Amino acid sequence: MPHVHLAAPAPTRPGVLLPRRDLAVGWTLVVLIAVLAWVLTIGQARHMGMEPGTMGLALPLFLLLWVVMMAAMMLPSVAPVAITWVRGISRRSAGPARALHVAEFVSGYLLAWTGFGLLAYGALAMTGRLVEGNPDAGRWIGAGAFLLAGLHQFGPLKRVCLRHCRNPMFQLLRYSRFRPWAKDLRVGAHHGLYCVGCCWGLMIVLIPLGVMNVAAMAAVAAVIFLEKLWRRGPWLTWAVGIAFLVLAALAPFQDWLLPGLENAPPMEEMHQMTGLL
Protein backbone atom coordinates (compact mmCIF):
# COMPACT_ATOMS: atom_id res chain seq x y z
CA MET A 1 0.00 0.00 0.00
CA PRO A 2 1.60 3.29 -1.04
CA HIS A 3 2.48 5.77 1.64
CA VAL A 4 0.68 9.08 1.57
CA HIS A 5 2.78 12.03 2.62
CA LEU A 6 0.92 15.04 3.96
CA ALA A 7 2.58 18.34 3.33
CA ALA A 8 3.37 20.13 6.54
CA PRO A 9 1.96 23.61 6.83
CA ALA A 10 4.40 26.37 6.17
CA PRO A 11 5.82 27.84 9.38
CA THR A 12 4.43 31.18 10.32
CA ARG A 13 6.53 34.23 11.01
CA PRO A 14 6.23 35.95 14.40
CA GLY A 15 2.94 37.78 14.55
CA VAL A 16 1.63 36.12 11.37
CA LEU A 17 -0.50 33.23 12.55
CA LEU A 18 -2.86 32.60 9.65
CA PRO A 19 -2.64 32.82 5.84
CA ARG A 20 -3.23 36.27 4.42
CA ARG A 21 -6.59 35.37 2.90
CA ASP A 22 -7.84 34.30 6.35
CA LEU A 23 -6.61 37.53 7.91
CA ALA A 24 -8.06 39.89 5.30
CA VAL A 25 -11.61 40.30 6.63
CA GLY A 26 -10.57 40.49 10.27
CA TRP A 27 -7.77 42.91 9.46
CA THR A 28 -10.22 45.13 7.63
CA LEU A 29 -12.57 45.23 10.62
CA VAL A 30 -9.84 45.98 13.17
CA VAL A 31 -8.08 48.53 10.97
CA LEU A 32 -11.37 50.36 10.37
CA ILE A 33 -11.85 50.59 14.14
CA ALA A 34 -8.28 51.84 14.52
CA VAL A 35 -8.70 54.43 11.77
CA LEU A 36 -11.89 55.73 13.37
CA ALA A 37 -10.08 55.91 16.71
CA TRP A 38 -7.23 57.88 15.11
CA VAL A 39 -9.70 60.32 13.58
CA LEU A 40 -11.36 60.87 16.97
CA THR A 41 -8.00 61.18 18.74
CA ILE A 42 -6.60 63.70 16.27
CA GLY A 43 -9.82 65.71 16.39
CA GLN A 44 -9.66 65.82 20.18
CA ALA A 45 -5.95 66.69 20.20
CA ARG A 46 -6.62 69.77 18.07
CA HIS A 47 -8.80 71.18 20.85
CA MET A 48 -6.48 70.29 23.72
CA GLY A 49 -3.06 71.63 24.56
CA MET A 50 -0.05 69.67 25.77
CA GLU A 51 0.33 70.50 29.43
CA PRO A 52 1.33 68.65 32.58
CA GLY A 53 -1.19 66.54 34.43
CA THR A 54 -4.59 65.30 33.40
CA MET A 55 -5.32 68.33 31.17
CA GLY A 56 -8.24 69.23 33.40
CA LEU A 57 -10.12 66.02 32.56
CA ALA A 58 -12.17 64.18 35.15
CA LEU A 59 -11.41 60.46 35.49
CA PRO A 60 -14.39 59.15 33.42
CA LEU A 61 -13.67 61.49 30.52
CA PHE A 62 -9.94 60.75 30.70
CA LEU A 63 -10.59 56.99 30.57
CA LEU A 64 -12.89 57.42 27.58
CA LEU A 65 -10.20 59.37 25.75
CA TRP A 66 -7.57 56.86 26.87
CA VAL A 67 -9.51 53.89 25.48
CA VAL A 68 -9.91 55.65 22.13
CA MET A 69 -6.15 56.34 22.10
CA MET A 70 -5.36 52.71 22.90
CA ALA A 71 -7.67 51.53 20.13
CA ALA A 72 -5.84 53.79 17.69
CA MET A 73 -2.36 52.80 18.81
CA MET A 74 -2.66 49.12 19.71
CA LEU A 75 -5.27 47.44 17.51
CA PRO A 76 -3.20 47.14 14.30
CA SER A 77 -0.58 45.11 16.18
CA VAL A 78 -3.12 42.89 17.98
CA ALA A 79 -5.24 42.13 14.91
CA PRO A 80 -3.46 38.86 13.93
CA VAL A 81 -3.86 37.46 17.45
CA ALA A 82 -7.55 38.36 17.68
CA ILE A 83 -8.33 36.88 14.28
CA THR A 84 -6.28 33.75 14.91
CA TRP A 85 -8.14 33.16 18.15
CA VAL A 86 -11.59 33.58 16.63
CA ARG A 87 -10.99 31.77 13.35
CA GLY A 88 -8.09 29.42 13.87
CA ILE A 89 -8.32 28.29 17.51
CA SER A 90 -11.88 28.68 18.75
CA ARG A 91 -13.26 27.87 15.24
CA ARG A 92 -16.21 30.21 15.37
CA SER A 93 -18.77 30.60 12.62
CA ALA A 94 -18.19 32.91 9.68
CA GLY A 95 -19.79 36.22 8.80
CA PRO A 96 -21.32 38.67 11.29
CA ALA A 97 -21.03 36.19 14.17
CA ARG A 98 -17.26 36.07 13.71
CA ALA A 99 -17.11 39.86 13.69
CA LEU A 100 -18.95 39.91 17.01
CA HIS A 101 -16.44 37.49 18.51
CA VAL A 102 -13.55 39.66 17.26
CA ALA A 103 -15.27 42.71 18.80
CA GLU A 104 -15.62 40.87 22.12
CA PHE A 105 -11.93 39.94 22.07
CA VAL A 106 -11.00 43.56 21.32
CA SER A 107 -13.25 44.77 24.15
CA GLY A 108 -11.46 42.51 26.62
CA TYR A 109 -8.11 43.69 25.28
CA LEU A 110 -9.07 47.34 25.77
CA LEU A 111 -10.38 46.52 29.24
CA ALA A 112 -6.85 45.56 30.26
CA TRP A 113 -5.55 48.88 28.94
CA THR A 114 -8.35 50.70 30.77
CA GLY A 115 -6.93 49.31 34.02
CA PHE A 116 -3.54 50.72 33.07
CA GLY A 117 -5.31 54.01 32.26
CA LEU A 118 -6.31 54.28 35.93
CA LEU A 119 -2.64 54.12 36.90
CA ALA A 120 -1.75 56.59 34.16
CA TYR A 121 -4.36 59.06 35.46
CA GLY A 122 -2.87 58.89 38.95
CA ALA A 123 0.66 59.38 37.62
CA LEU A 124 -0.41 62.34 35.47
CA ALA A 125 -2.29 63.96 38.36
CA MET A 126 0.81 63.69 40.56
CA THR A 127 3.01 65.01 37.76
CA GLY A 128 0.72 68.00 37.27
CA ARG A 129 0.86 68.92 40.95
CA LEU A 130 4.66 68.62 41.08
CA VAL A 131 5.23 70.76 37.99
CA GLU A 132 2.71 73.34 39.16
CA GLY A 133 4.54 73.66 42.48
CA ASN A 134 8.02 73.65 40.92
CA PRO A 135 8.34 74.07 37.14
CA ASP A 136 11.95 72.83 37.19
CA ALA A 137 10.72 69.47 38.48
CA GLY A 138 9.50 68.73 34.96
CA ARG A 139 13.10 68.28 33.77
CA TRP A 140 13.74 65.49 36.25
CA ILE A 141 10.33 63.92 35.81
CA GLY A 142 11.00 63.75 32.07
CA ALA A 143 14.47 62.31 32.62
CA GLY A 144 13.01 59.73 35.01
CA ALA A 145 10.30 58.72 32.53
CA PHE A 146 12.82 58.22 29.71
CA LEU A 147 15.17 56.33 32.04
CA LEU A 148 12.42 54.01 33.28
CA ALA A 149 11.23 53.40 29.71
CA GLY A 150 14.77 52.64 28.57
CA LEU A 151 15.45 50.21 31.40
CA HIS A 152 12.15 48.46 30.73
CA GLN A 153 13.20 47.79 27.12
CA PHE A 154 16.06 45.63 28.44
CA GLY A 155 14.23 44.06 31.40
CA PRO A 156 12.92 40.50 31.85
CA LEU A 157 9.25 41.60 31.91
CA LYS A 158 9.62 43.14 28.45
CA ARG A 159 11.38 40.06 27.14
CA VAL A 160 8.78 37.59 28.43
CA CYS A 161 5.75 39.63 27.38
CA LEU A 162 7.17 40.51 23.96
CA ARG A 163 7.92 36.84 23.33
CA HIS A 164 4.26 36.06 24.07
CA CYS A 165 3.01 38.87 21.84
CA ARG A 166 5.22 37.74 18.95
CA ASN A 167 4.47 34.02 19.31
CA PRO A 168 1.17 33.62 21.18
CA MET A 169 0.09 30.30 19.65
CA PHE A 170 0.84 28.19 22.75
CA GLN A 171 -1.10 30.60 24.96
CA LEU A 172 -4.01 30.68 22.51
CA LEU A 173 -4.24 26.90 22.62
CA ARG A 174 -4.32 27.12 26.40
CA TYR A 175 -7.14 29.67 26.19
CA SER A 176 -9.24 27.14 24.29
CA ARG A 177 -9.79 25.34 27.61
CA PHE A 178 -11.46 28.37 29.18
CA ARG A 179 -15.09 27.96 30.17
CA PRO A 180 -17.57 29.28 27.59
CA TRP A 181 -18.88 32.19 29.69
CA ALA A 182 -17.60 35.47 28.15
CA LYS A 183 -14.74 33.44 26.72
CA ASP A 184 -13.64 35.88 24.02
CA LEU A 185 -13.77 38.80 26.44
CA ARG A 186 -11.60 36.98 28.99
CA VAL A 187 -9.12 35.82 26.37
CA GLY A 188 -8.80 39.37 25.05
CA ALA A 189 -8.26 40.73 28.58
CA HIS A 190 -5.65 38.07 29.35
CA HIS A 191 -3.75 38.81 26.16
CA GLY A 192 -4.13 42.53 26.90
CA LEU A 193 -2.32 42.06 30.21
CA TYR A 194 0.66 40.60 28.36
CA CYS A 195 0.54 43.58 26.03
CA VAL A 196 0.48 46.01 28.97
CA GLY A 197 3.52 44.24 30.40
CA CYS A 198 5.24 44.56 27.04
CA CYS A 199 4.38 48.17 26.23
CA TRP A 200 3.87 50.17 29.43
CA GLY A 201 7.40 51.56 29.20
CA LEU A 202 6.68 52.94 25.75
CA MET A 203 3.52 54.58 27.05
CA ILE A 204 5.17 56.48 29.89
CA VAL A 205 7.30 58.49 27.47
CA LEU A 206 4.06 60.28 26.61
CA ILE A 207 4.35 62.01 30.00
CA PRO A 208 7.28 64.18 28.87
CA LEU A 209 6.34 64.18 25.17
CA GLY A 210 2.66 65.01 25.77
CA VAL A 211 -0.29 62.67 26.18
CA MET A 212 -2.08 64.41 23.31
CA ASN A 213 1.03 64.72 21.13
CA VAL A 214 -0.20 63.05 17.95
CA ALA A 215 3.30 62.74 16.44
CA ALA A 216 4.57 61.02 19.61
CA MET A 217 1.55 58.71 19.69
CA ALA A 218 2.11 57.74 16.06
CA ALA A 219 5.81 57.05 16.69
CA VAL A 220 5.05 54.88 19.74
CA ALA A 221 2.35 53.02 17.82
CA ALA A 222 4.81 52.33 14.99
CA VAL A 223 7.41 50.98 17.45
CA ILE A 224 4.80 48.71 19.07
CA PHE A 225 3.67 47.40 15.68
CA LEU A 226 7.21 46.68 14.50
CA GLU A 227 8.32 45.13 17.79
CA LYS A 228 5.50 42.60 17.60
CA LEU A 229 5.27 41.86 13.88
CA TRP A 230 8.65 42.65 12.30
CA ARG A 231 11.16 39.79 12.23
CA ARG A 232 13.82 42.16 13.58
CA GLY A 233 11.53 43.41 16.31
CA PRO A 234 13.81 42.34 19.22
CA TRP A 235 16.67 44.33 17.72
CA LEU A 236 14.39 47.34 17.45
CA THR A 237 13.49 46.92 21.14
CA TRP A 238 17.12 47.28 22.14
CA ALA A 239 17.70 50.21 19.77
CA VAL A 240 14.70 52.06 21.20
CA GLY A 241 15.93 51.30 24.72
CA ILE A 242 19.32 52.86 23.96
CA ALA A 243 17.57 55.90 22.44
CA PHE A 244 15.47 56.36 25.59
CA LEU A 245 18.57 56.20 27.80
CA VAL A 246 20.20 58.90 25.68
CA LEU A 247 17.06 61.05 25.96
CA ALA A 248 17.09 60.53 29.73
CA ALA A 249 20.59 62.02 29.86
CA LEU A 250 19.58 64.97 27.65
CA ALA A 251 16.15 65.74 29.11
CA PRO A 252 17.28 67.89 32.09
CA PHE A 253 19.05 70.24 29.69
CA GLN A 254 16.82 70.20 26.60
CA ASP A 255 13.37 71.76 27.01
CA TRP A 256 12.31 70.69 23.51
CA LEU A 257 12.22 67.10 24.75
CA LEU A 258 9.61 67.98 27.37
CA PRO A 259 6.61 69.60 25.64
CA GLY A 260 4.23 67.65 27.88
CA LEU A 261 5.80 69.02 31.06
CA GLU A 262 5.70 72.72 30.28
CA ASN A 263 3.07 74.76 32.04
CA ALA A 264 0.60 76.46 29.71
CA PRO A 265 0.73 80.27 29.87
CA PRO A 266 -1.92 81.93 32.03
CA MET A 267 -5.20 82.78 30.32
CA GLU A 268 -4.52 86.53 30.53
CA GLU A 269 -1.17 86.07 28.82
CA MET A 270 -2.79 83.99 26.08
CA HIS A 271 -5.34 86.75 25.44
CA GLN A 272 -2.54 89.32 25.20
CA MET A 273 -0.63 87.14 22.74
CA THR A 274 -3.77 86.68 20.68
CA GLY A 275 -4.30 90.43 20.63
CA LEU A 276 -0.76 91.03 19.41
CA LEU A 277 -1.32 88.56 16.59
mmCIF file of all heavy atoms in Angstrom, residues 265-277:
data_model
loop_
_atom_site.group_PDB
_atom_site.id
_atom_site.type_symbol
_atom_site.label_atom_id
_atom_site.label_comp_id
_atom_site.label_asym_id
_atom_site.label_seq_id
_atom_site.Cartn_x
_atom_site.Cartn_y
_atom_site.Cartn_z
ATOM 1 N N PRO A 265 0.750 78.897 29.388
ATOM 2 C CA PRO A 265 0.730 80.273 29.868
ATOM 3 C C PRO A 265 -0.624 80.623 30.466
ATOM 4 O O PRO A 265 -1.639 80.051 30.073
ATOM 5 C CB PRO A 265 1.015 81.093 28.601
ATOM 6 C CG PRO A 265 0.629 80.196 27.473
ATOM 7 C CD PRO A 265 0.897 78.806 27.934
ATOM 8 N N PRO A 266 -0.648 81.535 31.443
ATOM 9 C CA PRO A 266 -1.924 81.934 32.027
ATOM 10 C C PRO A 266 -2.890 82.459 30.981
ATOM 11 O O PRO A 266 -2.483 82.936 29.921
ATOM 12 C CB PRO A 266 -1.522 83.032 33.029
ATOM 13 C CG PRO A 266 -0.051 82.807 33.296
ATOM 14 C CD PRO A 266 0.490 82.224 32.037
ATOM 15 N N MET A 267 -4.171 82.395 31.276
ATOM 16 C CA MET A 267 -5.198 82.785 30.317
ATOM 17 C C MET A 267 -5.037 84.241 29.903
ATOM 18 O O MET A 267 -5.202 84.591 28.740
ATOM 19 C CB MET A 267 -6.581 82.553 30.921
ATOM 20 C CG MET A 267 -7.709 82.692 29.913
ATOM 21 S SD MET A 267 -7.578 81.469 28.573
ATOM 22 C CE MET A 267 -7.809 79.949 29.470
ATOM 23 N N GLU A 268 -4.677 85.118 30.875
ATOM 24 C CA GLU A 268 -4.523 86.527 30.535
ATOM 25 C C GLU A 268 -3.396 86.720 29.530
ATOM 26 O O GLU A 268 -3.490 87.512 28.587
ATOM 27 C CB GLU A 268 -4.238 87.346 31.806
ATOM 28 C CG GLU A 268 -5.379 87.379 32.803
ATOM 29 C CD GLU A 268 -5.435 86.115 33.648
ATOM 30 O OE1 GLU A 268 -4.534 85.248 33.485
ATOM 31 O OE2 GLU A 268 -6.354 85.990 34.442
ATOM 32 N N GLU A 269 -2.305 85.967 29.739
ATOM 33 C CA GLU A 269 -1.171 86.067 28.817
ATOM 34 C C GLU A 269 -1.543 85.562 27.438
ATOM 35 O O GLU A 269 -1.127 86.119 26.414
ATOM 36 C CB GLU A 269 0.012 85.271 29.378
ATOM 37 C CG GLU A 269 1.265 85.365 28.533
ATOM 38 C CD GLU A 269 2.419 84.600 29.149
ATOM 39 O OE1 GLU A 269 2.389 84.347 30.366
ATOM 40 O OE2 GLU A 269 3.350 84.260 28.387
ATOM 41 N N MET A 270 -2.373 84.507 27.387
ATOM 42 C CA MET A 270 -2.794 83.990 26.084
ATOM 43 C C MET A 270 -3.645 85.003 25.352
ATOM 44 O O MET A 270 -3.515 85.188 24.140
ATOM 45 C CB MET A 270 -3.576 82.701 26.305
ATOM 46 C CG MET A 270 -2.735 81.540 26.812
ATOM 47 S SD MET A 270 -3.691 80.022 27.047
ATOM 48 C CE MET A 270 -4.153 79.653 25.355
ATOM 49 N N HIS A 271 -4.516 85.710 26.075
ATOM 50 C CA HIS A 271 -5.340 86.753 25.438
ATOM 51 C C HIS A 271 -4.463 87.864 24.891
ATOM 52 O O HIS A 271 -4.714 88.404 23.815
ATOM 53 C CB HIS A 271 -6.360 87.297 26.428
ATOM 54 C CG HIS A 271 -7.471 86.340 26.718
ATOM 55 N ND1 HIS A 271 -8.097 85.608 25.746
ATOM 56 C CD2 HIS A 271 -8.068 85.993 27.899
ATOM 57 C CE1 HIS A 271 -9.050 84.846 26.285
ATOM 58 N NE2 HIS A 271 -9.051 85.056 27.602
ATOM 59 N N GLN A 272 -3.421 88.254 25.658
ATOM 60 C CA GLN A 272 -2.535 89.323 25.199
ATOM 61 C C GLN A 272 -1.784 88.883 23.937
ATOM 62 O O GLN A 272 -1.649 89.655 22.994
ATOM 63 C CB GLN A 272 -1.544 89.675 26.294
ATOM 64 C CG GLN A 272 -2.173 90.352 27.517
ATOM 65 C CD GLN A 272 -1.179 90.581 28.632
ATOM 66 O OE1 GLN A 272 0.016 90.310 28.468
ATOM 67 N NE2 GLN A 272 -1.648 91.091 29.761
ATOM 68 N N MET A 273 -1.315 87.633 23.933
ATOM 69 C CA MET A 273 -0.626 87.145 22.743
ATOM 70 C C MET A 273 -1.545 87.104 21.545
ATOM 71 O O MET A 273 -1.144 87.469 20.431
ATOM 72 C CB MET A 273 -0.074 85.747 23.025
ATOM 73 C CG MET A 273 1.027 85.706 24.082
ATOM 74 S SD MET A 273 1.477 84.016 24.549
ATOM 75 C CE MET A 273 2.051 83.391 22.989
ATOM 76 N N THR A 274 -2.800 86.703 21.769
ATOM 77 C CA THR A 274 -3.769 86.676 20.684
ATOM 78 C C THR A 274 -4.017 88.067 20.137
ATOM 79 O O THR A 274 -4.131 88.277 18.924
ATOM 80 C CB THR A 274 -5.084 86.054 21.164
ATOM 81 O OG1 THR A 274 -4.815 84.762 21.688
ATOM 82 C CG2 THR A 274 -6.076 85.936 20.017
ATOM 83 N N GLY A 275 -4.092 89.060 21.053
ATOM 84 C CA GLY A 275 -4.302 90.435 20.627
ATOM 85 C C GLY A 275 -3.165 90.968 19.795
ATOM 86 O O GLY A 275 -3.365 91.708 18.823
ATOM 87 N N LEU A 276 -1.926 90.578 20.181
ATOM 88 C CA LEU A 276 -0.760 91.028 19.411
ATOM 89 C C LEU A 276 -0.757 90.434 18.009
ATOM 90 O O LEU A 276 -0.318 91.079 17.040
ATOM 91 C CB LEU A 276 0.524 90.639 20.142
ATOM 92 C CG LEU A 276 0.810 91.410 21.450
ATOM 93 C CD1 LEU A 276 2.034 90.828 22.139
ATOM 94 C CD2 LEU A 276 1.016 92.891 21.170
ATOM 95 N N LEU A 277 -1.260 89.194 17.913
ATOM 96 C CA LEU A 277 -1.320 88.564 16.590
ATOM 97 C C LEU A 277 -2.409 89.175 15.745
ATOM 98 O O LEU A 277 -2.354 89.141 14.525
ATOM 99 C CB LEU A 277 -1.524 87.058 16.760
ATOM 100 C CG LEU A 277 -0.352 86.309 17.411
ATOM 101 C CD1 LEU A 277 -0.727 84.838 17.622
ATOM 102 C CD2 LEU A 277 0.903 86.406 16.578
#
